[in-house]
């Protein structure tokens, strides 16, 4: 869901903090609420007691007044004589003195007389009835629809003549004073049962829903003690106290309530603070988590970034700032990256230098030429410097001294041309590039170089007079001849020697008739049809299994008039002229036929075919090749020269991908002569790497070649590639390669390329031998 580690950590931390904060806030809020409720319940219970106290105080007051009056002689006699005027004035007098709301008398006959003469109506009858059955009746009395607290006292003169009744209103004013007396601002109200429900006794609209209030009162009366009353006005803590009714009138209760919202009001600020603190905490934890996640993931991101860059082939190092596991990881990574970098540099160096003489090699010179061309340099000439009488001299002084001689030749050339790249082009040829205004000046420069060899070269065990022939070629000459100026300079050396000149410029006319090259190609196409071309196979020997498991198909051409033509003579030409496709299709077809023939003879071998890099720019060829390979039952492998691939990377990679998806093995041929970087090799879905014979031949003699081969094998294995060494000529080379973990060996030691018939015999013997030793 979250692709970045940083986001994940932030969400995780902030989420955890957030949940914790929410839980704490809920707990605090719950505690506050339940505490408020508890306090309210206590207060309500206390207010109930206060009310009881008020009730009895009031009763006492009323009783005192009533008793005083009932004992007053004048009053008693006025009652006895029905002196209404005296009765009324005495009642009024006392009512005012005691601050009583209502005073009246009830005669034994049920007659009611009030202080103000107003009739009492229904209430009078209720009281009269009550007094008939109870002598000192008291309780809540409803007068004109309003509740009163009433008490009575008998009038004895000396026999019972009636009762004095004093009543105090239980209305808003009264409730107000009760509300004032209580510690909390509660609402008090007297309720009356009417029509099955509890309603406000004084006719005020009930605060809240009648049904809810009634249900609460019933419950509270049955159970006693405060409870929660939930009405549309919001929840409240409430307490219903039964009030004694005077007479058989409707029962009454006192309802005390305290809205929870008001109980919680003092805590609201606190809850607000808790909420604000919670939100602030949450915000802080998000910011903190983000910052924390950033510090935690920054080194990981740096590593990730570095790993990607390493994959792209860049050289990288991660800064190590801490001392923890990640720092150790970064150190290991740096060590690994440095190791890979060093290895690549070593390989590049080895690939760019000649092992014998330490001089740059042909590839290095070609690179230099490319650099000069891209730098826009004009008048660039290549000089190939050939040491004359190579065969004779080498035989005379031996391999080691020959290398020393070449080194000295290189050194003298370098002294003449301090900035130049002096490269070894072949066993007896050095080369260099320089700039000159024209051919004349170039000749002069070359002649000047020769002057450096007037003195003989002194070697450890010999002194040699060195004679040189220098061939010159212009870098950007057009026209016939080899495309590469180095190649042209090489040819120029031969041309100069033929002309017995110490210095010669490449002569295109003398090089060859382009028409004859073209005719060679048409002859090749004819030869294909006429059966002049054939396939030879060179066995590939599996070192671990000790037997041959595959072959490489190599084309041979026996020309009717020109004789045997080595592939190097016509493959390059076929590539340049576009004839390579016809040739390769023929080879592929033939190779697959041969593979089938071998299968019939009971020999299952992998068949490797050389595919020119040129053809990797030709999707039509890919279609044909894929169709052919699909029909073949055996395993087919394409050997591709890495230099060719580097030239057209995109299309070539796409076609290679198609081959690989069709289960055609891909082999990187002539490894070591090109300049593949590790990152580049990784993109090719190859299964095999063939180390060029130039390195394999020297593996037992030159330490540098051994180093290159060993590190190439390690590198290839780490990329999951098998390694084939070509050009294995000696037992020593074979043993060394086996020790380095090389997978396959190909070379004259195993067998030379041979026709199919011989191959079948060879494979038979190989199997017998493998059985004997395996
Ligand atoms: P390659 O693909 O590198 O083929 C290996 C060459 O090394 C072969 O030369 C082989 O005879 C030679 N060789 C094998 N073992 C040894 C050894 O122990 N020591 C030495 N010094 N050389 C050994 P060949 O047959 O002359 O082929 C030369 C090149 O021509 C091949 O090099 C390949 O690039 C090209 N070639 C040959 N046949 C075909 C083909 O059918 N199609 C294409 N496109 N190229 C081909
Ligand atoms: Ca090959
Ligand atoms: Ca090769």
């Amino acid at each position: 869901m979250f692709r970045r580690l940083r986001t994940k950590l932030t969400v995780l931390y902030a989420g955890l903090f957030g949940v914790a904060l929410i839980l704490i806030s809920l707990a605090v809020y719950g505690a506050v609420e339940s505490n408020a409720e508890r306090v309210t319940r206590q207060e309500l219970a206390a207010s109930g007691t206060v009310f009881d106290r008020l009730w009895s105080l009031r009763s006492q007051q009323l009783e005192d007044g009533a008793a005083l009056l009932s004992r007053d002689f004048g009053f008693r006699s006025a009652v006895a004589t029905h002196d209404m005027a005296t009765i009324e004035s005495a009642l009024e007098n006392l009512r005012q003195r005691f601050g009583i709301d209502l005073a009246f008398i009830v005669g034994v006959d049920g007659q009611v007389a009030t202080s103000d003469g107003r009739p009492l109506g229904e209430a009078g009858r209720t009281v009269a009835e009550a007094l008939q059955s109870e002598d000192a009746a008291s309780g809540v009395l409803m007068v004109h629809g309003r509740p009163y607290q009433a008490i009575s006292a008998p009038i004895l003169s000396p026999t019972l003549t009636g009762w004095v009744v004093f009543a105090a209103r239980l209305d808003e004013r009264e409730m107000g004073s009760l509300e004032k007396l209580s510690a909390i601002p509660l609402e008090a109200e007297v309720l009356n049962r009417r029509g099955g429900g509890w309603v406000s006794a004084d006719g005020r609209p009930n605060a809240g829903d009648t049904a809810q209030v009634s249900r609460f009162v019933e419950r509270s009366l049955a159970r006693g003690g405060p409870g929660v009353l939930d009405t549309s006005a919001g929840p409240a803590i409430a307490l219903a106290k039964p009030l004694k009714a005077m007479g058989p009138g409707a029962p009454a209760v006192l309802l005390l309530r305290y809205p929870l919202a008001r109980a919680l009001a003092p805590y609201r600020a606190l809850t607000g603070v808790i909420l604000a603190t919670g939100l602030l905490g949450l915000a802080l934890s998000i910011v903190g988590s983000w910052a924390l996640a950033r510090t935690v993931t920054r080194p990981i991101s740096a590593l990730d970034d570095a790993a990607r860059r390493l994959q792209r082939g860049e050289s990288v190092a991660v800064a190590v700032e801490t001392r923890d596991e990640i720092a150790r990881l970064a150190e290991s990574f740096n060590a690994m990256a440095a190791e890979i970098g060093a290895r690549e540099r070593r390989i590049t160096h080895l690939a760019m230098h000649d092992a014998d003489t330490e001089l740059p090699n042909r590839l290095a010179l070609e690179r230099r030429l490319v650099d000069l061309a891209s730098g826009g340099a004009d008048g660039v000439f290549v000089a190939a410097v050939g040491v004359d009488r190579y065969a004779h001299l080498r035989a005379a002084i031996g391999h080691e001294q020959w290398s020393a001689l070449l080194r000295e030749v290189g050194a003298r050339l370098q002294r003449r041309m301090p900035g130049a790249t002096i490269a070894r082009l072949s066993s007896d040829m050095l080369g260099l590039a320089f700039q000159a205004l024209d051919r004349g000046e170039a000749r002069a420069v070359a002649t000047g170089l020769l002057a450096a060899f007037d003195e003989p070269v002194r070697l450890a065990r010999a002194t040699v007079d060195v004679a040189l022939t220098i061939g010159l070629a212009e870098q950007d000459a057009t026209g016939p001849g080899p495309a590469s100026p180095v190649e042209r300079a090489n040819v120029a050396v031969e041309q100069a020697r033929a002309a017995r000149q110490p210095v010669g410029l490449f002569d295109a006319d003398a090089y060859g008739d382009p028409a004859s090259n073209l005719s060679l190609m048409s002859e090749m196409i004819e030869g294909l049809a006429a059966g002049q071309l054939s396939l030879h196979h060179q066995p590939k020997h599996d070192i671990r299994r000790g037997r041959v498991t595959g072959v490489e198909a190599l084309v041979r051409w026996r020309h009717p008039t020109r004789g045997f033509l080595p592939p190097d003579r016509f493959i390059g030409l076929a590539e340049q002229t576009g004839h390579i496709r016809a040739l390769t299709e023929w080879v592929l077809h033939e190779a697959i036929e041969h593979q089938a023939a071998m299968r019939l003879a009971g020999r299952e071998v992998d068949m490797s075919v050389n595919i020119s890099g040129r053809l990797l720019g030709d999707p039509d060829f890919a279609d044909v090749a894929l169709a052919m390979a699909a029909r073949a039952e055996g395993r087919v492998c394409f050997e591709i020269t890495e230099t060719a691939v580097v030239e057209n990377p995109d299309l070539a990679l796409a076609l290679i991908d198609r081959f690989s998806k069709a289960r055609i093995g891909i082999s990187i041929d002539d490894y070591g002569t090109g300049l593949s970087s590790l990152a580049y090799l990784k993109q090719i879905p190859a299964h095999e790497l063939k180390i060029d014979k130039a390195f394999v031949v020297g593996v037992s003699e030159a330490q540098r070649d051994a180093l290159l081969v060993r590190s190439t094998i390690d590198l290839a294995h780490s990329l999951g590639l098998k390694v084939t060494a070509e050009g294995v000529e000696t037992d020593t080379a074979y043993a060394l390669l086996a020790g380095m973990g090389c997978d396959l060996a190909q070379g004259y030691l195993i067998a030379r390329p041979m026709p199919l018939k011989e191959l079948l015999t060879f494979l038979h013997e190989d199997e017998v031998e493998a059985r004997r030793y395996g």
Side-chain angles (χ1 to χ4, degrees):
M1 184 162 57
F2 303 110
R3 276 192 50 239
R4 295 178 59 191
L5 188 58
R6 183 185 303 173
T7 327
K8 258 186 234 174
L9 284 177
T10 308
V11 169
L12 189 73
Y13 284 143
L16 281 177
F17 278 128
V19 167
L21 280 171
I22 288 171
L23 288 180
I24 291 171
S25 307
L26 283 179
V28 170
Y29 186 79
V32 164
E33 194 175 28
S34 78
N35 184 53
E37 196 179 311
R38 195 171 42 81
V39 169
T40 308
R41 279 171 194 267
Q42 283 168 1
E43 286 298 336
L44 267 186
S47 299
T49 320
V50 168
F51 178 78
D52 289 343
R53 186 100 188 88
L54 274 179
W55 180 274
S56 60
L57 271 175
R58 179 58 56 93
S59 290
Q60 194 58 54
Q61 192 184 16
L62 292 173
E63 260 166 40
D64 287 354
L68 196 66
L69 194 62
S70 65
R71 281 197 301 274
D72 184 89
F73 178 76
F75 178 72
R76 283 198 309 215
S77 58
V79 173
T81 55
H82 293 279
D83 178 356
M84 287 317 284
T86 312
I87 290 170
E88 277 174 22
S89 84
L91 278 175
E92 183 58 22
N93 189 309
L94 215 65
R95 191 187 70 78
Q96 277 179 7
R97 223 173 85 205
F98 281 85
I100 290 164
D101 296 313
L102 191 62
F104 57 90
I105 58 164
V106 180
V108 279
D109 51 359
Q111 280 277 308
V112 174
T114 57
S115 58
D116 55 1
R118 283 203 317 171
L120 280 181
E122 179 66 32
R125 273 188 295 285
T126 312
V127 174
E129 238 171 89
L131 291 174
Q132 292 304 327
S133 51
E134 196 184 345
D135 213 20
S138 69
V140 175
L141 174 68
M142 296 301 290
V143 180
H144 299 308
R146 288 177 183 282
Y148 283 80
Q149 179 184 357
I151 63 104
S152 62
I155 309 166
L156 302 164
S157 53
T159 55
L160 182 70
T161 46
W163 294 270
V164 180
V165 180
F166 279 6
R169 283 220 307 264
L170 278 175
D171 59 4
E172 276 172 63
R173 184 172 50 85
E174 193 62 20
M175 291 299 114
S177 61
L178 174 62
E179 287 168 10
K180 259 187 236 108
L181 272 176
S182 79
I184 50 171
L186 48 72
E187 292 167 4
E189 193 178 13
V190 177
L191 301 183
N192 238 191
R193 193 158 52 206
R194 237 176 276 159
W198 292 91
V199 292
S200 215
D202 57 6
R204 276 189 303 169
N206 207 340
D209 317 301
T210 312
Q212 262 95 315
V213 171
S214 303
R215 226 173 300 127
F216 173 80
V217 170
E218 295 297 347
R219 233 182 318 120
S220 182
L221 288 179
R223 201 186 46 215
V228 176
L229 167 58
D230 209 355
T231 64
S232 54
I237 308 291
L239 173 68
K241 283 182 77 74
L243 297 177
K244 184 172 177 292
M246 190 171 207
V253 294
L254 174 72
L255 181 66
L256 300 174
R257 63 173 134 182
Y258 187 35
L260 214 51
R262 216 180 298 156
L264 284 174
Y267 299 100
R268 194 150 299 144
L270 180 64
T271 341
V273 169
I274 290 172
L275 193 71
T277 317
L279 286 177
L280 186 70
L282 190 66
L284 280 177
S285 71
I286 289 174
V287 172
S289 305
W290 189 80
L292 186 67
R294 223 172 77 110
T295 28
V296 171
T297 57
R298 206 180 37 212
I300 298 179
S301 302
L303 264 175
D304 179 46
D305 183 56
R308 273 170 217 263
R309 280 179 22 228
L310 185 67
Q311 200 175 20
R312 285 200 298 270
E314 295 172 27
S315 70
V316 289
V318 188
V320 181
E321 289 157 356
T322 51
R323 307 244 100 254
D324 51 15
E325 293 91 331
I326 291 175
R328 282 200 294 282
L329 191 63
E331 275 164 5
S332 309
F333 177 86
N334 284 344
M336 186 186 78
E339 171 69 14
I340 288 175
R343 220 182 254 201
E344 282 210 61
R345 274 194 300 283
R346 210 152 57 216
I347 291 173
T348 310
H349 178 85
L350 292 171
M352 295 286 258
H353 286 80
D354 171 55
D356 284 342
T357 57
E358 278 289 337
L359 289 169
N361 61 13
R362 182 191 185 118
L363 195 66
L365 180 62
E366 276 168 354
R367 273 255 176 137
R368 173 83 187 121
L369 287 170
V370 170
D371 289 349
L372 282 169
S374 56
D378 282 331
V380 174
F381 284 80
V382 176
V385 182
V387 182
D388 296 346
R389 298 179 301 132
Y390 163 65
H392 170 79
L393 274 177
R394 218 206 107 159
I397 61 175
H399 172 81
E400 238 163 78
Q401 295 224 80
W402 175 254
S403 300
L405 175 72
L406 281 185
R407 265 199 301 279
E408 176 57 22
V409 172
R412 289 195 188 178
L413 291 174
Q414 191 79 76
R415 275 199 290 280
R416 290 264 154 181
M417 312 215 78
T421 301
I422 314 285
R424 182 177 185 183
L425 301 181
S426 62
S427 29
D428 59 346
M429 194 93 71
L430 301 186
L432 57 108
F434 62 91
Q435 278 176 282
L437 284 178
D438 55 20
R439 294 172 177 199
E441 198 192 34
R443 270 178 187 281
V445 169
T447 314
L449 290 176
L450 291 177
F453 296 89
D454 292 343
E455 288 283 305
V457 172
R458 274 172 237 287
L459 301 169
R461 290 189 299 277
T463 300
V464 183
D465 276 319
V466 175
L468 302 178
T469 304
I470 297 183
L472 294 171
E474 285 167 275
Q475 184 175 33
D476 34 35
T478 49
S484 149
V486 177
E487 199 52 52
R488 285 201 306 277
N490 262 305
V491 174
V493 172
E494 298 308 322
Q495 290 175 336
R497 277 183 182 146
R500 302 196 175 277
Q501 294 291 325
V503 174
L505 254 155
F506 174 72
D507 182 346
D509 296 337
Y511 175 69
D513 180 3
S516 107
N517 285 340
L518 274 184
S519 86
L520 187 68
M521 282 297 99
S522 58
E523 282 165 36
M524 185 185 82
I525 298 301
E526 281 165 24
L528 282 175
Q532 293 164 18
L533 284 96
S534 64
L535 275 197
H536 278 197
H537 301 281
Q538 186 174 33
K540 289 168 85 172
H541 168 91
D542 186 312
I543 294 179
R544 223 155 288 119
R545 290 203 260 167
R547 49 179 286 250
V548 169
T549 53
V551 296
E552 175 178 3
L554 295 159
V555 72
R556 297 289 176 259
W557 185 5
R558 209 156 276 289
H559 193 278
T561 55
R562 300 183 200 226
F564 174 74
L565 291 175
D568 292 335
R569 177 74 181 84
F570 59 92
I571 297 277
L573 202 57
E575 284 178 339
Q576 283 165 36
T577 55
H579 290 87
I580 189 68
R581 183 168 158 193
L583 177 71
T584 306
E585 285 176 8
W586 180 85
V587 169
L588 187 56
H589 176 261
E590 200 74 358
I592 288 171
E593 294 270 280
H594 284 191
Q595 192 182 32
M598 283 189 268
R599 183 175 308 116
L600 271 182
R603 304 280 163 219
E604 204 66 59
V605 289
D606 295 341
M607 177 60 72
S608 293
V609 175
N610 289 288
I611 302 294
S612 158
R614 295 274 159 145
L615 290 172
L616 293 179
D618 184 349
D620 294 339
F621 165 74
D623 293 338
V624 174
L626 281 168
M628 283 192 197
R631 274 202 305 280
E633 281 168 53
R635 194 190 143 102
V636 179
C637 165
F638 287 177
E639 290 190 6
I640 294 163
T641 313
E642 50 148 358
T643 40
V645 178
V646 178
E647 278 162 22
N648 309 294
D650 288 342
L651 185 53
L653 277 176
L655 293 188
I656 290 176
D657 224 39
R658 281 180 66 195
F659 292 145
S660 172
K661 291 222 170 77
R663 298 165 57 90
I664 295 173
I666 300 295
S667 175
I668 297 165
D669 206 352
D670 299 339
Y671 181 81
T673 58
L675 256 191
S676 304
S677 75
L678 178 68
Y680 175 73
L681 280 186
K682 268 175 133 171
Q683 295 180 44
I684 304 177
H687 83 287
E688 182 189 62
L689 191 87
K690 290 187 83 171
I691 304 179
D692 193 68
K693 52 181 175 286
F695 298 98
V696 176
V697 166
V699 80
S700 44
E701 286 162 32
Q703 236 187 351
R704 307 168 54 94
D705 283 357
L707 194 60
L708 177 95
V709 170
R710 181 189 290 280
S711 46
T712 301
I713 290 172
D714 290 348
L715 213 63
H717 283 167
S718 72
L719 292 175
L721 300 176
K722 286 201 156 196
V723 179
T724 298
E726 25 171 72
V728 180
E729 293 180 348
T730 62
D731 287 321
T732 326
Y734 183 89
L736 279 172
L737 288 162
M740 291 172 183
C742 181
D743 303 285
L744 292 150
Q746 182 183 353
Y748 295 165
L749 178 72
I750 318 292
R752 289 186 180 252
M754 60 188 104
L756 178 63
K757 229 177 107 198
E758 272 177 47
L759 179 69
L760 282 168
T761 318
F762 175 85
L763 288 175
H764 173 70
E765 284 165 4
D766 181 71
E767 193 186 75
V768 172
E769 205 167 317
R771 260 204 224 123
R772 190 175 319 140
Y773 296 108

